[in-house]
Amino acid sequence: MSNHAKIDFNESGVPISQTFDDIYFSIDSGIDESQYVFLKHNGLPERWVSLPAQYDFVVTETGFGTGLNFLLTWLNYRQHARSCTRLHFISVEKYPLSKSQLAQALATLPAVAAVAEPLLEQYPATEPGCHRLVFDQGRVVLDLWIGDIIETLAEWQTSLAHQVDAWFLDGFAPAKNPAMWQSALFNTMANSAHRDTTFATFTAAGLVKRGLNEAGFQVNKVKGFGRKREMLCGHFPGQIVKSSRCRAPVTLVGGGIASACLARALHQRQIPCRVISQGLADGASGNPQGAVYPLLHAELTPLTRFYLQASSTAISYYTPWRDRYWFVSGVIQPAFNASRINRIEKITACDYSSATVTALASEQSSTLAQLPIEQPSLHYPNAGWLNPSKLVRAMFNESDPDWMTDTVERIFPCNLDSPTLAWTLVGTRARYSAARVVIACGHASATLFQSELKMTPVKGQISTIRATAETEALNKVLCYKGYMVPAQNGEHCIGATFERGQTDLNASVEADTANCDSLARCAQQTWSQHLEITGHRVSIRATTPDHMPAAGALDTGLMLLSGLGSRGLTAAPILAELLAEQLSGGVVPLTKDARSRLQPQRLIK
């Protein structure tokens, strides 16, 4: 949405909020002030030195602003924290800076340039919800919540219970931003606290001190920074001990993008992982090319909200492989008929962020694509395409799970009364026992468990076509009814057919012809005529009735990650983060509404 901060920059390059008539930081002492107020008075980095192994240190901040507090915390964590621990930084911002505003603001702070650059590379489109970004091979996680703090607090009540180690109460002063400094905030802080939780804030306002006291915090008034006379800091004097994360082994069934992302997420949490699969990227994840972009509707539907959040995490996950297997080319959706033109008008009226999507005139479409399009279109500038087959292999190589080459045919509860042997997995070569299992094998997932799932297989055949002198210049993914990806090794990938309920893997000339005919009818350009087929590939996707992926618990110790449909490359990373947090007992991403809609649905018999 168009919720960007309204700011000016003064002569020193410091951003000034028009809404709150206040500066974001001092050009002379902004870094020193942040260090003094938020790090020093939360006992950082000294507290990190003594953290136990595999500890997740959680910082929650009110007011992301320019990200300065996050960047300083990240830098100090790199330098002082043990390598066997993780930093989880959670921040909320109602009026986020655009990427260009953020870049201009951070350009005045060269001391944080080393971490500002990767933040800017992954900085999300500022749509409402939770945007999870992963840095430093998973050692640092940022959950950036875009929205009103009071509404966001309701999302945090359960997720953050007794999880937060330090609160940074930033944001503009209570006199200028009274809507933030309410009892709901202080009560959420108390709910999030354990016996070692601390807080710090630049303000010494009486209403803040009273609110924190009433919520149960021990509040200290200490010397402020610079010319500011006083500030507040303190701790929660409760007796609840923060629970340690669960690191019990997990068995994954499946060898595609969903399993690869989850294996990576578990590896980053130091959770042992075993994968059972007959093949590696042998389903739809084995295609040579695939698009990554959000699913937008003309209204902000729950499905659209989910994919807006999923897209930012996907970009973050794939960034380490940028320009190898992940290419931020942008995606163009031309309007090839009156219905598609009407869709452009409705989506434009929905007022999505320009970092998410913009409308292009016909000539702009052709210029950006470097290929005659001659149709108005939607442009997704931060989207792109990847090589799923190579990426899946790279992810498994990084996480290095215990790999068992086998096909699981059935899963049922063990008869043994043992917490370490809860499930039996019957393979074609052997039987396996595991306490914690995640089924992530696409459409086959629905047949493994005794309770049938609401899931439908869809056969899809992609075709590869030889690039011509004209199409070789294409530098955007084109999405008509199907898609066409920029050339890779002299070939374009186009497709795919949609054959609901079909599970055979037989390729056909008819399907290749259908892919070519569909592209030609939609493109309506000479370059789309007489395409030369060079190959094809068939795979089966799994879809659900509401097109929402299925990710969550089926039974005690048994989870499902499937139903990703045609946008599995976009959805898999955020779903992997969700399940990894549920398996470890960490702080989950996504809104409560999205998590409930992702819960697997069973058939009623």
Side-chain angles (χ1 to χ4, degrees):
M1 307 296 287
S2 292
N3 56 349
H4 288 157
K6 294 179 175 61
I7 63 174
D8 297 312
F9 288 88
N10 66 18
E11 64 279 1
S12 299
V14 174
I16 303 172
S17 171
Q18 296 178 10
T19 304
F20 300 107
D21 188 27
D22 205 352
I23 62 173
Y24 280 79
F25 56 80
S26 167
I27 187 63
D28 298 320
S29 56
I31 288 179
D32 292 338
E33 182 177 21
S34 182
Q35 292 266 25
Y36 177 83
V37 173
F38 297 109
L39 273 69
K40 178 179 178 179
H41 284 92
N42 274 293
L44 308 175
E46 291 80 10
R47 291 168 65 187
W48 295 332
V49 176
S50 58
L51 290 179
Q54 302 178 343
Y55 192 90
D56 286 3
F57 192 91
V58 178
V59 177
T60 303
E61 175 189 51
T62 57
F64 186 74
T66 63
L68 177 57
N69 292 335
F70 166 62
L71 296 174
L72 285 172
T73 305
W74 182 3
L75 271 177
N76 278 273
Y77 198 82
R78 272 184 173 181
Q79 296 167 9
H80 301 286
R82 302 174 64 190
S83 61
C84 57
T85 63
R86 302 172 76 234
L87 171 66
H88 194 149
F89 197 100
I90 304 165
S91 187
V92 63
E93 179 58 62
K94 185 176 183 179
Y95 302 109
L97 273 66
S98 68
K99 187 173 183 176
S100 60
Q101 290 172 330
L102 184 64
Q104 185 174 348
L106 293 178
T108 66
L109 300 169
V112 297
V115 285
E117 184 176 349
L119 172 62
L120 287 167
E121 185 177 23
Q122 296 189 25
Y123 192 67
T126 53
E127 306 289 358
C130 178
H131 301 273
R132 172 161 292 193
L133 311 180
V134 180
F135 303 96
D136 285 359
Q137 294 78 50
R139 191 169 177 234
V140 174
V141 173
L142 170 64
D143 281 349
L144 178 55
W145 285 81
I146 304 299
D148 183 87
I149 179 65
I150 302 303
E151 296 175 3
T152 305
L153 293 175
E155 299 284 353
W156 286 352
Q157 284 293 331
T158 301
S159 181
L160 295 187
H162 315 306
Q163 298 283 328
V164 177
D165 296 282
W167 276 86
F168 292 4
L169 295 179
D170 203 355
F172 296 102
K176 297 191 176 186
N177 185 22
M180 190 189 89
W181 304 91
Q182 297 187 24
S183 59
L185 169 60
F186 306 129
N187 292 335
T188 297
M189 291 175 62
N191 180 69
S192 76
H194 54 86
R195 71 178 183 185
D196 297 318
T197 299
T198 61
F199 76 89
T201 178
F202 63 89
T203 185
L207 71 89
V208 176
K209 182 178 180 181
R210 288 190 297 273
L212 287 165
N213 273 324
E214 291 171 1
F217 283 87
Q218 176 68 50
V219 182
N220 303 313
K221 187 177 288 188
V222 299
K223 183 182 182 302
F225 180 82
R227 289 177 294 178
K228 184 141 182 41
R229 190 161 58 93
E230 295 173 319
M231 59 166 280
L232 301 178
C233 62
H235 70 282
F236 192 76
Q239 297 303 310
I240 295 177
V241 178
K242 182 173 177 177
S243 58
S244 58
R245 298 287 184 256
C246 178
R247 309 294 178 184
V250 177
T251 294
L252 309 182
V253 181
I257 188 67
S259 182
C261 287
L262 183 51
R264 183 175 187 246
L266 295 173
H267 176 71
Q268 291 174 347
R269 290 161 177 78
Q270 302 173 58
I271 298 175
C273 178
R274 172 175 62 179
V275 176
I276 306 175
S277 179
Q278 185 62 46
L280 178 62
D282 53 346
S285 302
N287 287 343
Q289 294 177 294
V292 177
Y293 66 107
L295 173 62
L296 300 188
H297 291 149
E299 297 178 355
L300 203 56
T301 64
L303 191 62
T304 290
R305 288 181 184 273
F306 165 74
Y307 276 106
L308 287 171
Q309 297 170 80
S311 295
S312 55
T313 302
I315 292 171
S316 177
Y317 251 55
Y318 301 147
T319 292
W321 292 280
R322 184 166 180 166
D323 298 328
R324 283 189 294 162
Y325 314 133
W326 162 236
F327 303 90
V328 187
S329 62
V331 171
I332 285 181
Q333 283 183 326
F336 52 86
N337 58 31
S339 175
R340 292 301 177 104
I341 293 175
N342 184 53
R343 179 173 180 269
I344 289 179
E345 294 172 351
K346 288 183 176 180
I347 285 182
T348 302
C350 197
D351 202 22
Y352 292 104
S353 165
S354 59
T356 297
V357 66
T358 58
L360 301 176
S362 299
E363 60 275 12
Q364 291 175 305
S365 302
S366 299
T367 299
L368 277 180
Q370 296 185 5
L371 187 70
I373 304 296
E374 299 180 12
Q375 296 168 352
S377 64
L378 292 173
H379 179 222
Y380 302 78
N382 291 327
W385 65 275
L386 49 76
N387 184 316
S389 177
K390 291 183 178 179
L391 181 67
V392 166
R393 286 169 168 79
M395 282 188 166
F396 277 127
N397 286 338
E398 181 186 275
S399 57
D400 193 25
D402 183 16
W403 189 278
M404 311 298 294
T405 302
D406 203 348
T407 299
V408 175
E409 297 182 325
R410 192 158 57 97
I411 298 175
F412 58 87
C414 288
N415 293 324
L416 298 176
D417 185 18
S418 169
T420 60
L421 299 172
W423 295 95
T424 294
L425 296 82
V426 180
T428 57
R429 300 181 180 181
R431 285 193 173 206
Y432 312 87
S433 295
R436 306 203 296 172
V437 178
V438 179
I439 304 172
C441 50
H443 77 285
S445 302
T447 65
L448 300 185
F449 188 54
Q450 59 189 6
S451 179
E452 294 186 37
L453 303 170
K454 290 184 178 180
M455 202 171 296
T456 302
V458 176
K459 177 181 177 180
Q461 179 170 320
I462 59 102
S463 306
T464 53
I465 59 173
R466 192 174 309 283
T468 66
E470 193 171 19
T471 65
E472 186 77 45
L474 176 67
N475 66 351
K476 303 281 183 184
V477 179
L478 300 183
C479 289
Y480 293 92
K481 285 187 175 179
Y483 61 89
M484 177 178 178
V485 186
Q488 178 180 233
N489 300 323
E491 294 180 332
H492 300 281
C493 182
I494 66 171
T497 59
F498 190 90
E499 301 173 59
R500 183 180 294 274
Q502 300 300 309
T503 58
D504 71 275
L505 295 174
N506 298 319
S508 68
V509 174
E510 291 77 13
D512 285 334
T513 300
N515 284 332
C516 292
D517 289 348
S518 176
L519 176 61
R521 285 195 305 271
C522 295
Q524 303 169 23
Q525 300 294 321
T526 56
W527 58 259
S528 65
Q529 308 293 326
H530 312 297
L531 303 172
E532 180 186 351
I533 300 290
T534 58
H536 45 232
R537 190 174 185 277
V538 175
S539 58
I540 314 299
R541 296 181 174 90
T543 63
T544 63
D546 61 1
H547 301 289
M548 199 71 139
L554 290 170
D555 207 328
T556 302
L558 184 65
M559 305 185 83
L560 179 70
L561 177 50
S562 187
L564 275 63
S566 60
R567 278 185 168 77
L569 302 177
T570 305
I574 190 63
L575 299 179
E577 283 293 305
L578 174 64
L579 265 61
E581 296 289 22
Q582 291 174 336
L583 287 163
S584 65
V587 179
V588 295
L590 296 173
T591 61
K592 290 187 292 185
D593 178 70
R595 299 198 302 269
S596 67
R597 292 176 185 275
L598 290 167
Q599 187 59 34
Q601 302 176 46
R602 301 184 184 182
L603 294 174
I604 300 176
K605 295 184 178 181

